[in-house]
Amino acid sequence: MVTESEEGRRDFLLLATSAVGAAGVAGAAWPFIKSWSPSSDVLSQATTEVDISSLAEGQMITVPWQGKPVFVVHRTVTQIELARKDDTKSLPDPAKDADRVKRPEFLVLLALCPHLGCVPQPIGTGNYGGFLCPCHGSHYDTSGRIRQGPSPRNLQVPYYEFKDEKTLVIGKATV
Amino acid sequence: MSKIMEWVDARLPVTALLKSQATEYPTPKNLNYWWNFGSLALFVLIIMIASGLFLAMHYKADANQSFDVVEHIMRDVHFGWLLRYLHANGASFFFVVVYIHILRGMYYGSYRKPREILWWFGVTLFLIMMGTAFMGYVLPWGQMSYWGAAVITNLMSAIPLIGEDLVVWIWGGFAVGDPTLNRFFALHFLLPLVIFGLAILHLWALHAVHSNNPVGIDLDEEKDCIPFHPYYTIKDLYGMGVFLIVFCAVVFFVPNLFLEPDNYIPANPMQTPAHIVPEWYFLPFYAILRSIDFLGPFSKLAGVVAMIGAIAILFILPFLDRSPVRCFRYRPLSRQLFWIFVVDCFLLGWVGYNPADAVTLDGALPLTVVGRTGTAIYFGYFVLLWVITAFDIEKHSPVPKSI
Amino acid sequence: MNIMTTRGRDERAGQTMRLGARVKPAGVWVVVLGLLAVLLPRGGVASEAMHLPKQNWPFVGVFGQFDNAALKRGVQVTVQVCMACHSLKYIKFDRLRQFGFTEQEVKAFAESQGRTKKDAMLSGMDPVLAKDSFGVVPPDLSLITKARKGYEDYVFGILTGYASESDVALARQVMADGHAADGEVREVAATLHLDPNHPEKIAETLKRIADGGNFNKYFPGHFLAMPQPLMDGAVVYADGTENSKVQMARDVVTFLAWAAEPTQTERKALGFNVLLYLVVFTLMLYALKRRIWARVH
């Protein structure tokens, strides 16, 4: 015979065991879920180091970062002035040139047109001295801001920092 | 909630099925802990399918990449090491559980009338499981993977007339190689699903005739049976807990216990390791294969036949055992034969582990002699079981009328 | 009441019967397992190499932990000695920073092999060139402690098991007259741990040592392509630890054991939590099981 108080204790035991079991199942699921996150060899590709010591004024290079193209432009004085002059104009996606660069002479842009993801052509090809996206004719200025065409936004500036005088690191280290 | 279930039940009788086949399914109340290993096998199968599925999401079947990819999983993928060690050790534990499950069936006469079809599904499951394990072992593409695959596939060449062509067809080349690896991966992915399907048939066959029990007599459903839930749900869960403690202790603390060091060397078709052994769960059968070495040109074929026969003979076991009593508890001769058989399986495993040309007693006793004796005992079990039961040699002790 | 007694008697009868069942198989077990123990097989491919002495590795076992200082020293030996020929393709130089090396130190390690810090730890030596000079491509060391029977003890044995200079001198001296006399064979056999029952084999071994073969008492077959890699003082440790051959071998094996499975620390730590959870949960299940089954018993 099982007494009532024993039944009560069992109910508590049943509840506690169920709760602990449910927690265990959830815990066991975690490694499976987590295994989909970018693996450490992928994460180690999160940053790209660029040697900018040999990038002369007026030159531009395209570097791969996280599998996407990034423009690194060593701007001329004229290009910088052009960009700053347009700060006050009415722009489709207003932004100051100073907020888009860390050092005025270096412009770093994610080279994917916000319109539909094409890679724009190099600096100097567009109507405002900047970049032209060949797919649908979006024109970006010397700060990478959209000036004309279907693109709704400016070319994106990825996170970057200058590690030292000659090394630019694009992206944030995750490990 | 009940409204929803009513709606469903009107269209598909889920509640009735659960009631009759799960919660209220009548189960003998005297089942001992050896009966836990059936549900445990299903549990391990689920662990294997889950870990295998997630491993497959990272794995590449390519002779040039597979070894590196496994190391990528071990080193770079989050918890990849856990997935792989769960899967690799899970295979070993699956066999431990299934071997105990089979031996339990043999001891308590669970293969006897009316459970023959249930038993046949089980033996088929075991066969497919062996094939799946063999192909899975090839995937890391280490030295043991490669040479294990080479040796086992070469067995097919023993088949007269078509053997040689058959092996080349299986390889998809002139040796084990990239095509072999690819097709083995595809099959290794498919077969567990076949196993799962067969396991459902196995369960169906079980539920059609209900469980055997340690006394081995037919039970009175009213008096001797209890509902499956909560009695056996909690007992099975408790068994899984104990299993997981042992399993996880191996996975987390000695994960390479069952793995051969040679399989951490990339496959090299130009060089065979000094001593190749199959995984431990194949060792008794491997020993039987090698023990037939006295028939000259027919040895190879005979060895293969003996090895396949060692499993195939399980199919006719229900017809070999003619005793009026199921359970070996009440059958003194059968019981002794059974324990000799169990010890013999370990002996054969030990013979299979050692090099074929090894000797014991300082050369007085070549291992092949031990192997032949072990093989004779293995098959002798089935023959003697038939002899002592078919000719009424065994006098069984009194069997209880009820539990 | 009546039912209870009947069942009790039945159970007792069952127990006696089961006990009887157990005695006999137990006897069979003892006999067979005893035989197995006595008849341990010899011969076959069982090598002529000496039995590997067991070393005490602090990182092995359930509670094992890596000593960071030993790891750092091991890195130094690996890069300055082993990587002259061997690679560790699954480890990137950058990864070494986790032991406390600065970026400059890591860069220097990488540059010593003509690599950058983001590269895998590949040897500066060209594999084709290596094959030309040694006859084999030096094996990758990333998994070496997991890929040999004897594991860490094996690698340590190989690194410390070479014939010493005096052993080589002895072999040369014995073989100076072109053959080895019986007395000499016995003496040399003891020094090199060879089986004294096969004098012809010993003579052949001595000849190969005298001819410059790389004799190692722990290597199956005794002669290997790799010349002795570690000598006393081969590396000057940054932390000033004594740079004896044995010390360097211990340190390098420590690092190689880490490199074989960098996730092992994480594995053991997680294992403790998992097992703790499982023991508690299983005890709860057991209590619940007993309580539920109390209704039947």
Side-chain angles (χ1 to χ4, degrees):
Chain A
M1 275 271 80
V2 180
T3 63
E4 225 166 88
S5 73
E6 274 178 340
E7 284 286 349
R9 250 192 291 162
R10 201 191 75 227
D11 279 345
F12 171 73
L13 188 62
L14 181 64
L15 269 176
T17 311
S18 308
V20 172
V25 171
W30 175 245
F32 291 85
I33 295 165
K34 183 65 185 162
S35 73
W36 270 24
S37 297
S39 58
S40 64
D41 60 323
V42 173
L43 290 178
S44 72
Q45 309 297 313
T47 60
T48 299
E49 275 188 30
V50 188
D51 181 4
I52 47 171
S53 61
S54 55
L55 190 64
E57 200 176 301
Q59 271 189 336
M60 184 194 114
I61 48 170
T62 310
V63 293
W65 168 68
Q66 297 184 349
K68 294 166 282 194
V70 168
F71 289 158
V72 181
V73 191
H74 191 162
R75 295 192 293 189
T76 60
V77 179
T78 337
Q79 284 167 335
I80 297 170
E81 271 173 14
L82 199 61
R84 284 186 179 159
K85 190 162 59 67
D86 290 350
D87 276 353
T88 50
K89 293 237 172 79
S90 117
L91 300 165
D93 182 9
K96 286 201 164 34
D97 183 60
D99 297 335
R100 292 176 56 80
V101 291
K102 288 196 170 168
R103 277 159 59 179
E105 62 270 38
F106 288 104
L107 176 67
V108 183
L109 296 171
L110 184 64
L112 291 178
C113 180
H115 180 218
L116 287 170
C118 294
V119 180
Q121 290 175 348
I123 194 160
T125 51
N127 282 350
Y128 295 81
F131 314 85
L132 165 68
C133 180
C135 292
H136 305 94
S138 293
H139 293 261
Y140 300 91
D141 65 15
T142 54
S143 190
R145 292 171 295 203
I146 179 66
R147 302 300 290 272
Q148 181 191 330
S151 172
R153 273 175 290 117
N154 301 333
L155 286 176
Q156 208 186 322
V157 178
Y159 177 88
Y160 66 90
E161 53 195 37
F162 294 95
K163 197 159 124 198
D164 49 50
E165 268 309 294
K166 52 180 189 172
T167 322
L168 167 73
V169 182
I170 307 169
K172 248 184 197 159
T174 44
V175 269
Chain B
M1 197 63 195
S2 62
K3 271 268 167 66
I4 299 174
M5 278 323 292
E6 257 172 51
W7 187 90
V8 172
D9 281 332
R11 285 147 185 88
L12 187 72
V14 176
T15 310
L17 183 81
L18 282 178
K19 231 177 178 176
S20 68
Q21 300 304 317
T23 54
E24 287 174 17
Y25 173 69
T27 317
K29 65 178 176 189
N30 62 337
L31 299 187
N32 55 32
Y33 278 107
W34 298 115
W35 260 263
N36 271 55
F37 287 86
S39 67
L40 268 186
L42 183 63
F43 180 55
V44 183
L45 176 64
I46 290 167
I47 294 179
M48 292 303 281
I49 290 179
S51 56
L53 176 68
F54 277 77
L55 282 172
M57 293 169 185
H58 299 281
Y59 177 77
K60 293 186 183 80
D62 178 323
N64 290 321
Q65 293 188 61
S66 287
F67 189 88
D68 289 342
V69 156
V70 171
E71 276 310 309
H72 160 72
I73 293 172
M74 289 292 291
R75 289 158 191 268
D76 299 329
V77 174
H78 300 281
F79 296 105
W81 55 270
L82 180 57
L83 295 176
R84 179 178 171 241
Y85 279 152
L86 280 176
H87 202 69
N89 288 296
S92 277
F93 275 82
F94 204 176
F95 276 95
V96 171
V97 167
V98 163
Y99 278 136
I100 293 175
H101 187 59
I102 293 173
L103 287 172
R104 190 271 287 153
M106 286 171 73
Y107 185 84
Y108 293 105
S110 301
Y111 51 82
R112 301 291 302 277
K113 185 188 167 203
R115 298 188 176 82
E116 296 94 330
I117 293 182
L118 169 62
W119 174 257
W120 289 333
F121 276 133
V123 178
T124 311
L125 273 167
F126 176 50
L127 265 176
I128 300 180
M129 190 177 140
M130 290 175 90
T132 311
F134 161 67
M135 287 189 244
Y137 194 57
V138 176
L139 304 184
W141 211 240
Q143 275 286 67
M144 281 295 174
S145 300
Y146 185 89
W147 291 101
V151 168
I152 301 297
T153 49
N154 259 313
L155 293 179
M156 306 284 176
S157 67
I159 299 169
L161 298 175
I162 56 161
E164 301 285 340
D165 294 334
L166 185 65
V167 173
V168 169
W169 177 74
I170 289 173
W171 287 339
F174 306 111
V176 173
D178 198 55
T180 328
L181 177 58
N182 265 295
R183 58 193 64 175
F184 278 16
F185 178 49
L187 286 176
H188 184 73
F189 203 105
L190 169 75
L191 288 179
L193 305 176
V194 175
I195 290 179
F196 196 81
L198 266 175
I200 291 172
L201 291 180
H202 191 59
L203 264 177
W204 181 30
L206 172 73
H207 283 223
V209 293
H210 289 189
S211 289
N212 184 25
N213 68 84
V215 181
I217 52 169
D218 293 325
L219 298 178
D220 180 342
E221 218 164 85
E222 289 294 306
K223 195 158 66 69
D224 302 325
C225 289
I226 47 179
F228 191 87
H229 181 75
Y231 297 104
Y232 284 103
T233 34
I234 184 64
K235 196 177 178 185
D236 283 347
L237 280 172
Y238 167 57
M240 286 170 200
V242 174
F243 168 84
L244 276 178
I245 290 176
V246 181
F247 180 50
C248 287
V250 172
V251 165
F252 286 102
F253 296 118
V254 274
N256 290 303
L257 189 66
F258 296 109
L259 302 179
E260 279 289 319
D262 276 300
N263 223 27
Y264 282 111
I265 303 171
N268 180 359
M270 299 296 131
Q271 196 181 24
T272 312
H275 175 198
I276 48 172
V277 281
E279 288 285 83
W280 69 265
Y281 37 80
F282 292 137
L283 288 174
F285 302 104
Y286 189 55
I288 290 173
L289 168 81
R290 289 194 313 191
S291 68
I292 315 288
D293 57 352
F294 46 83
L295 293 176
F298 302 106
S299 289
K300 187 168 166 183
L301 179 60
V304 175
V305 170
M307 184 176 72
I308 295 170
I311 300 162
I313 201 164
L314 292 173
F315 279 105
I316 56 164
L317 180 58
F319 305 126
L320 292 177
D321 187 348
R322 302 294 184 87
S323 171
V325 177
R326 273 195 204 120
C327 174
F328 282 22
R329 226 185 239 176
Y330 312 108
R331 295 167 52 180
L333 278 179
S334 304
R335 193 171 61 222
Q336 285 180 30
L337 284 180
F338 174 83
W339 285 112
I340 292 171
F341 175 79
V342 173
V343 173
D344 185 55
C345 288
F346 279 91
L347 178 77
L348 281 171
W350 171 78
V351 171
Y353 179 75
N354 282 292
D357 54 347
V359 292
T360 56
L361 286 181
D362 281 327
L365 184 60
L367 210 65
T368 45
V369 175
V370 184
R372 280 178 221 160
T373 315
T375 303
I377 296 174
Y378 184 95
F379 288 103
Y381 170 77
F382 297 94
V383 174
L384 287 175
L385 193 70
W386 174 70
V387 170
I388 63 167
T389 54
F391 300 101
D392 266 340
I393 295 170
E394 181 174 59
K395 299 287 168 259
H396 64 84
S397 48
V399 180
K401 292 265 176 293
S402 77
I403 50 174
Chain C
M1 205 52 212
N2 200 11
I3 296 166
M4 285 284 286
T5 6
T6 323
R7 202 204 286 155
R9 205 188 306 133
D10 265 7
E11 253 169 31
R12 244 175 291 125
Q15 265 167 11
T16 345
M17 246 179 270
R18 255 170 285 158
L19 209 68
R22 237 171 249 153
V23 175
K24 272 169 203 156
V28 179
W29 279 107
V30 170
V31 171
V32 171
L33 293 180
L35 276 176
L36 288 188
V38 177
L39 308 185
L40 276 181
R42 281 162 266 266
V45 285
S47 63
E48 320 129 52
M50 245 180 85
H51 184 68
L52 284 167
K54 270 241 154 284
Q55 305 293 325
N56 180 26
W57 302 107
F59 52 83
V60 165
V62 177
F63 298 98
Q65 294 291 331
F66 280 105
D67 168 15
N68 198 62
L71 282 170
K72 278 184 91 168
R73 291 194 298 271
V75 169
Q76 209 185 327
V77 180
T78 305
V79 175
Q80 293 179 8
V81 180
C82 309
M83 285 190 68
C85 306
H86 295 275
S87 299
L88 281 86
K89 65 174 172 177
Y90 297 126
I91 306 286
K92 285 180 175 148
F93 282 106
D94 220 11
R95 188 100 200 245
L96 300 176
R97 276 158 64 179
Q98 78 177 75
F99 304 130
F101 287 112
T102 64
E103 194 171 346
Q104 291 313 310
E105 287 170 319
V106 168
K107 257 189 182 153
F109 286 147
E111 275 157 17
S112 73
Q113 307 299 332
R115 316 274 167 193
T116 73
K117 70 185 172 76
K118 285 213 163 187
D119 289 336
M121 293 178 71
L122 296 178
S123 165
M125 185 185 260
D126 176 31
V128 181
L129 207 74
K131 183 151 188 175
D132 282 351
S133 18
F134 297 105
V136 287
V137 179
D140 188 271
L141 296 183
S142 307
L143 284 164
I144 199 79
T145 63
K146 275 167 107 177
R148 296 289 183 276
K149 287 204 171 63
Y151 306 103
E152 289 84 5
D153 294 342
Y154 173 85
V155 181
F156 183 81
I158 292 298
L159 289 175
T160 54
Y162 281 88
S164 68
E165 268 172 46
S166 62
D167 293 340
V168 176
L170 182 67
R172 290 226 170 93
Q173 189 194 328
V174 169
M175 295 309 292
D177 53 357
H179 80 286
D182 281 359
E184 293 172 328
V185 161
R186 264 194 299 281
E187 185 194 338
V188 177
T191 320
L192 296 178
H193 305 279
L194 296 169
D195 182 358
N197 296 322
H198 301 285
E200 349 60 71
K201 240 182 187 170
I202 297 178
E204 195 191 313
T205 305
L206 288 175
K207 187 164 184 310
R208 281 185 74 178
I209 297 177
D211 291 348
N214 302 314
F215 176 88
N216 193 310
K217 60 187 172 195
Y218 298 117
F219 187 71
H222 285 321
F223 289 94
L224 71 172
M226 175 171 70
Q228 180 166 355
L230 290 178
M231 327 275 180
D232 286 334
V235 165
V236 178
Y237 276 135
D239 65 1
T241 305
E242 186 207 352
N243 50 3
S244 66
K245 180 168 75 183
V246 170
Q247 179 65 43
M248 286 185 289
R250 282 196 70 82
D251 292 339
V252 82
V253 169
T254 302
F255 172 64
L256 290 176
W258 173 86
E261 198 175 325
T263 50
Q264 58 192 295
T265 312
E266 181 193 350
R267 164 163 62 78
K268 288 180 195 172
L270 181 60
F272 272 109
N273 294 326
V274 168
L275 279 188
L276 190 70
Y277 165 82
L278 282 175
V279 168
V280 170
F281 183 49
T282 305
L283 284 175
M284 292 176 82
L285 285 173
Y286 180 64
L288 195 60
K289 189 237 154 206
R290 282 194 57 135
R291 205 143 289 218
I292 289 174
W293 277 77
R295 288 185 248 167
V296 175
H297 288 310

